[in-house]
Amino acid sequence: MVSPTKLPLIVFVICSIIIRGVFAEVICEKLPTKLCAFAVASSGKRCVLENYVDRKKLGLKYACETSEVVVESISSHIETDNCVAACGVDRKFVGISSDAFLTPSFVSSLCSDACYQNCPNIVDLYFNLAAGEGVYLPSMCEKQRENPHRSMLAEVTSNGGVNVVAATEGPVAPGVLLTLNNAPAPLPF
């Protein structure tokens, strides 16, 4: 017979095992590659899809790995298909890069209400990537919402900074640049 003082401990251990099974940990290296991009491990670090050459099969292989990028407010998260579609991202993105800002349709999708208001994981990722490039994402999205017929294109300057250029569907006058507030600020959610 179990003593009354040990019973709570036994119940706790059993519940811990059951809960751990129900709420499984997210470990990047164990995720299928089709779910890797935009996932956040239980440790709070972003998962990243990486590619490598398989010399035996002479082909390109993909693997999910844990990055060193820590997300402060999200953990154990696999991004939904709805957010991937709403934000204009692709689960086949390799690495973590701000290159997507160079695609006009991406900025429009990222700044859309469907993404910006409902997908905090993707917005957080690109908020930090934009900040790393010297761009304040909320200001860029505000400019996008003010004039939805324009797209934002990031232009890397010779000193490594980024200018955000307003481009219409037609030709753009040389030197038309938007000035963005680069001061750090809290996320919009």
Side-chain angles (χ1 to χ4, degrees):
M1 178 149 182
V2 177
S3 74
T5 58
K6 291 186 180 180
L7 186 59
L9 178 63
I10 292 171
V11 171
F12 174 76
V13 170
I14 290 171
C15 288
S16 295
I17 292 170
I18 291 170
I19 289 173
R20 185 176 172 119
V22 171
F23 301 109
E25 285 186 307
V26 174
I27 300 170
C28 298
E29 287 73 13
K30 292 186 178 183
L31 284 177
T33 56
K34 65 183 181 182
L35 296 177
C36 180
F38 312 107
V40 180
S42 299
S43 66
K45 292 184 177 183
R46 289 201 177 277
C47 298
V48 61
L49 186 63
E50 295 290 355
N51 58 15
Y52 63 95
V53 176
D54 184 346
R55 298 195 191 284
K56 290 181 182 178
K57 295 184 180 179
L58 301 173
L60 198 58
K61 293 284 189 173
Y62 295 89
C64 189
E65 297 179 7
T66 304
S67 74
E68 292 303 314
V69 178
V70 177
V71 183
E72 292 181 20
S73 60
I74 301 170
S75 66
S76 300
H77 179 78
I78 296 175
E79 195 54 75
T80 66
D81 290 337
N82 288 342
C83 280
V84 168
C87 297
V89 294
D90 188 340
R91 289 197 190 272
K92 296 177 185 169
F93 281 175
V94 175
I96 298 176
S97 171
S98 60
D99 289 352
F101 286 114
L102 298 173
T103 307
S105 61
F106 170 74
V107 175
S108 178
S109 295
L110 180 66
C111 295
S112 71
D113 285 341
C115 177
Y116 201 79
Q117 301 300 327
N118 299 310
C119 305
N121 175 44
I122 292 175
V123 172
D124 174 73
L125 170 62
Y126 285 99
F127 177 91
N128 290 316
L129 288 172
E133 298 290 345
V135 176
Y136 183 57
L137 184 64
S139 293
M140 185 170 73
C141 287
E142 182 180 325
K143 297 290 184 191
Q144 173 70 28
R145 283 189 282 277
E146 287 174 2
N147 195 345
H149 300 293
R150 292 179 181 240
S151 61
M152 303 295 183
L153 298 174
E155 176 183 277
V156 179
T157 61
S158 60
N159 65 0
V162 173
N163 290 324
V164 177
V165 180
T168 62
E169 292 180 14
V172 179
V176 177
L177 296 176
L178 297 176
T179 304
L180 298 178
N181 176 4
N182 293 332
L187 286 171
F189 38 84

